Amino acid sequence: MQIASCSNLCDQSPPALAREDFIAINGTVVVSCHFGLSLPGKTTMLRLFSSTRLDHNTGMGYLSAEAPLRGGKKTRHGAGKTNTMTYQVTFFVDADFGTPGAVVVKNGLRNDQIFLRYVQLDLPEDGRSIHFECNSWVYPYKKTNADRVFFMNTSYLPDKTPDALRLLRDMELRSLRGNGRGERRDWERVYDYDYYNDLGDPDKKDKDHARPVLGGTAVHPYPRRCRTGRPLFKTDGVTETRSKRMINLDFYVPPDERFSPTKLAEVLTLAVQAVTHFVVPESKALLRANLVNSFRSFQQLRGDLYSRRSPRQPVAVDAQVMDRLKASLPSRKTYMQVSKMVKETPVMFPIPQVIEGEAEAWRSDEEFAREMLAGLNPVVIKRLEVFPPVSRGGKQSSITAAHIEKQLEGRTVAKALDEKRLYILDHHDYLMPYLERINRQQGVCVYASRTLLFLKDDGTLKPLAIELSLPSPSDDGEISRVFLPASQGTTDGQLWLLAKAHVSVNDSGYHQLISHWLLTHATVEPFIIATKRHLSAMHPIHMTD
């Protein structure tokens, strides 16, 4: 935790005592030292708070004198054998100091943060060890004007917290909540609520780029999220602005929730490779070609992406991509690590296995059903219990038994239902109320869809029928059409392929908007933020999250 009001207390030395009145508590400090991470240095100091002896002058546990780190031995820790540095530290405390309950860390570096993994103390009286699991960033005191405090690995409910740690626990939570004002800085550990007020491009004043704020009204106070941008004060309230960089990394996330430098470098390396391999060649092709005729066939697309190289012929990373990446990254160390990783692992994407043997395999019904089940959004596939399917308003689907019974391997619809063989991917009810507005405003044609699937004996799914629907312009009804599997090359075959494409669009949109954003970010994030704001690191629930 980061406690501003504790900084003055930590700068005060305890009363001077005779040397024989002190006992020594030896400890081990482990710090990560991946490529690009700084090491603590001689100016980093540690202190201990007692959990059993209360200082009535401060309302907190007694505080030890500062102790510097000694040595520094290269080690490896964790399941992934992360590169670490292990230091030794010795605290001199008075004989009745009691049991340490918190360790204070003051990062004396000028600019660089360190990643502290853990601190372990060996008590001289009874040979016990006390562990402080940290796994957290500690920023320079010069930036934070505060020390970091880590509690021992013992959980307490609020009313059972030792008196010597109660105030520290309360100060921790207050610091994590922040005051709801101002711009968040990289080194702050603040879990601050905000509305979705940065949708679209809030810096532009025209209606085409602005988006309404989600949440924050008396009727709809949610969704809420963690504040991630810089506040802009405008006539219509407070909105957040975002960087215009190609890769937007210039937004606030509490330090302990960010990617580690190594993980960030891995993600960026993959992004650079993907841009170099896919986006850059296609962009150049579009610039050279007539836009109307630039996309002639899937064969052309496959040739552009794969056929001009083999897996053993890596592609040189586009220099322009690296230049833009360098301008986008706030840390030069991260850029250097990405550059190193890109050189060591050049782009070598092979032809995807699905189309390696048969270029048109992606068109098949088997592949369509396989991707539906193995893709991003399989949880929306449900077992069909009523036939024909019925919408929430009570209207039956236009799919009939005659449409599908010839494909049920000798079964009737009733028998297939009884054997739990029929499944449905239903993107109908939630889309229908919005289709008229979407199609009118966006100038596109989006359909609501229902896809029936049959579970075969070999455990795979087979699409049986697709129903595409639009609202009726004349009444409250709808216009629907059923499409059935058909041979490629025929008119019905092309219509069936287009129907499958509409289903894939629905499925992708549902994943992004509902499964990913609504049910993950908009629903779960407020609980995560509330946990960080109201349950201290010593709370039993916090320690098991």
Side-chain angles (χ1 to χ4, degrees):
M1 96 190 170
Q2 202 164 279
I3 304 179
S5 58
C6 180
S7 58
N8 293 331
L9 293 173
C10 295
D11 288 337
Q12 298 173 4
S13 298
L17 298 173
R19 179 54 108 184
E20 58 268 19
D21 293 326
F22 279 81
I23 61 173
I25 299 177
N26 293 314
T28 302
V29 179
V30 177
V31 177
S32 288
C33 60
H34 297 81
F35 180 87
L37 286 182
S38 295
L39 296 176
K42 297 179 180 179
T43 56
T44 296
M45 297 289 178
L46 280 71
R47 306 183 90 171
L48 296 178
F49 272 111
S50 173
S51 65
T52 55
R53 186 183 176 197
L54 181 65
D55 184 341
H56 295 284
N57 293 322
T58 65
M60 296 181 286
Y62 261 74
L63 186 63
S64 75
E66 287 186 338
L69 299 178
R70 305 191 314 273
K73 180 181 178 182
K74 289 184 178 180
T75 49
R76 298 173 76 86
H77 285 84
K81 294 300 180 183
T82 302
N83 291 329
T84 55
M85 289 290 286
T86 299
Y87 298 87
Q88 303 304 313
V89 62
T90 299
F91 300 93
F92 292 99
V93 300
D94 56 323
D96 59 350
F97 180 83
T99 303
V103 60
V104 181
V105 183
K106 182 176 183 178
N107 179 358
L109 297 175
R110 291 182 60 84
N111 296 306
D112 291 342
Q113 64 269 30
I114 59 176
F115 190 81
L116 182 61
R117 292 180 66 88
Y118 67 81
V119 177
Q120 180 129 344
L121 303 179
D122 299 317
L123 302 185
E125 315 92 69
D126 51 14
R128 285 189 300 131
S129 292
I130 298 180
H131 189 79
F132 300 83
E133 190 70 24
C134 305
N135 289 320
S136 182
W137 294 102
V138 181
Y139 277 77
Y141 183 87
K142 180 182 178 182
K143 292 184 176 181
T144 63
N145 291 317
D147 300 302
R148 280 296 307 278
V149 178
F150 297 96
F151 294 103
M152 61 182 174
N153 268 33
T154 303
S155 62
Y156 298 100
L157 290 171
D159 61 338
K160 303 297 183 183
T161 306
D163 291 340
L165 298 179
R166 284 179 183 270
L167 183 56
L168 281 176
R169 182 174 184 152
D170 182 60
M171 293 167 68
E172 170 201 25
L173 293 176
R174 289 205 305 266
S175 68
L176 290 173
R177 291 172 194 150
N179 58 18
R181 299 189 299 271
E183 179 183 329
R184 297 274 70 87
R185 304 292 183 178
D186 288 345
W187 52 84
E188 293 181 313
R189 298 172 61 245
V190 175
Y191 292 83
D192 205 1
Y193 285 116
D194 211 339
Y195 314 122
Y196 281 86
N197 59 1
D198 58 347
L199 304 176
D201 192 343
D203 295 334
K204 293 184 179 291
K205 296 181 179 180
D206 57 281
K207 295 181 180 180
D208 291 338
H209 292 85
R211 294 290 185 275
V213 172
L214 291 183
T217 66
V219 179
H220 299 293
Y222 297 97
R224 299 188 77 183
R225 58 164 174 78
C226 193
R227 190 200 298 182
T228 60
R230 293 185 170 87
L232 279 183
F233 293 88
K234 294 187 175 182
T235 55
D236 58 346
V238 179
T239 60
E240 291 188 25
T241 183
R242 293 293 181 88
S243 170
K244 302 301 187 295
R245 294 170 175 173
M246 177 184 69
I247 299 176
N248 179 19
L249 299 172
D250 190 19
F251 54 88
Y252 173 79
V253 178
D256 292 345
E257 312 305 323
R258 300 173 196 156
F259 281 143
S260 69
T262 300
K263 181 64 176 179
L264 176 60
E266 291 175 358
V267 171
L268 292 175
T269 299
L270 291 174
V272 168
Q273 291 176 340
V275 170
T276 294
H277 188 79
F278 293 105
V279 179
V280 172
E282 289 308 304
S283 298
K284 290 179 178 178
L286 286 172
L287 290 173
R288 288 194 302 265
N290 183 321
L291 290 178
V292 176
N293 299 316
S294 61
F295 182 76
R296 294 183 295 276
S297 66
F298 285 104
Q299 287 79 5
Q300 176 206 346
L301 180 64
R302 180 178 182 273
D304 286 345
L305 295 180
Y306 301 110
S307 63
R308 57 171 175 251
R309 63 182 73 98
S310 72
R312 290 178 294 277
Q313 294 176 326
V315 181
V317 172
D318 190 270
Q320 210 172 29
V321 173
M322 293 304 294
D323 288 342
R324 291 187 180 182
L325 179 68
K326 187 175 184 179
S328 300
L329 288 173
S331 169
R332 183 177 181 276
K333 289 182 179 180
T334 304
Y335 171 77
M336 295 299 294
Q337 187 173 5
V338 173
S339 180
K340 180 175 181 286
M341 293 173 68
V342 165
K343 290 177 182 177
E344 291 176 351
T345 56
V347 179
M348 297 175 67
F349 292 136
I351 296 175
Q353 186 177 358
V354 170
I355 61 173
E356 188 173 14
E358 172 52 54
E360 301 300 318
W362 63 271
R363 292 175 178 260
S364 70
D365 293 347
E366 292 78 9
E367 181 60 20
F368 171 70
R370 187 196 70 80
E371 290 179 4
M372 185 189 300
L373 188 61
L376 294 172
N377 208 42
V379 294
V380 297
I381 303 173
K382 299 186 183 299
R383 184 166 63 85
L384 189 64
E385 298 181 356
V386 176
F387 186 87
V390 180
S391 66
R392 282 196 293 261
K395 179 177 174 56
Q396 285 190 342
S397 165
S398 54
I399 301 175
T400 66
H403 285 127
I404 65 173
E405 279 196 330
K406 292 181 180 179
Q407 306 176 66
L408 299 181
E409 299 178 354
R411 299 172 177 84
T412 63
V413 171
K415 185 172 178 58
L417 284 172
D418 186 59
E419 293 180 0
K420 302 179 181 179
R421 296 270 188 164
L422 292 181
Y423 290 81
I424 184 170
L425 180 67
D426 196 340
H427 292 300
H428 179 275
D429 286 1
Y430 74 91
L431 266 177
M432 284 300 292
Y434 301 99
L435 286 181
E436 183 179 355
R437 184 166 53 173
I438 292 172
N439 291 333
R440 182 179 67 251
Q441 292 183 353
Q442 303 300 325
V444 296
C445 191
V446 176
Y447 295 90
S449 66
R450 288 189 179 103
T451 306
L452 294 193
L453 303 138
F454 176 70
L455 179 62
K456 299 167 62 176
D457 290 336
D458 62 3
T460 61
L461 293 174
K462 179 177 73 173
L464 300 174
I466 295 172
E467 179 187 42
L468 299 182
S469 303
L470 287 173
S472 173
S474 57
D475 53 38
D476 294 333
E478 59 186 59
I479 302 170
S480 299
R481 180 172 175 181
V482 177
F483 298 87
L484 303 175
S487 302
Q488 294 185 23
T490 64
T491 299
D492 288 342
Q494 297 303 314
L495 291 174
W496 172 245
L497 186 63
L498 285 172
K500 290 192 292 184
H502 279 287
V503 172
S504 297
V505 168
N506 287 167
D507 208 36
S508 175
Y510 187 95
H511 165 72
Q512 294 292 354
L513 184 62
I514 308 298
S515 300
H516 182 184
W517 175 73
L518 180 60
L519 299 182
T520 304
H521 290 284
T523 302
V524 177
E525 271 188 25
F527 291 93
I528 296 173
I529 298 170
T531 298
K532 298 289 187 179
R533 288 167 60 91
H534 294 280
L535 301 183
S536 84
M538 288 190 291
H539 197 286
I541 294 178
H542 192 288
M543 295 187 73
T544 57
D545 67 0

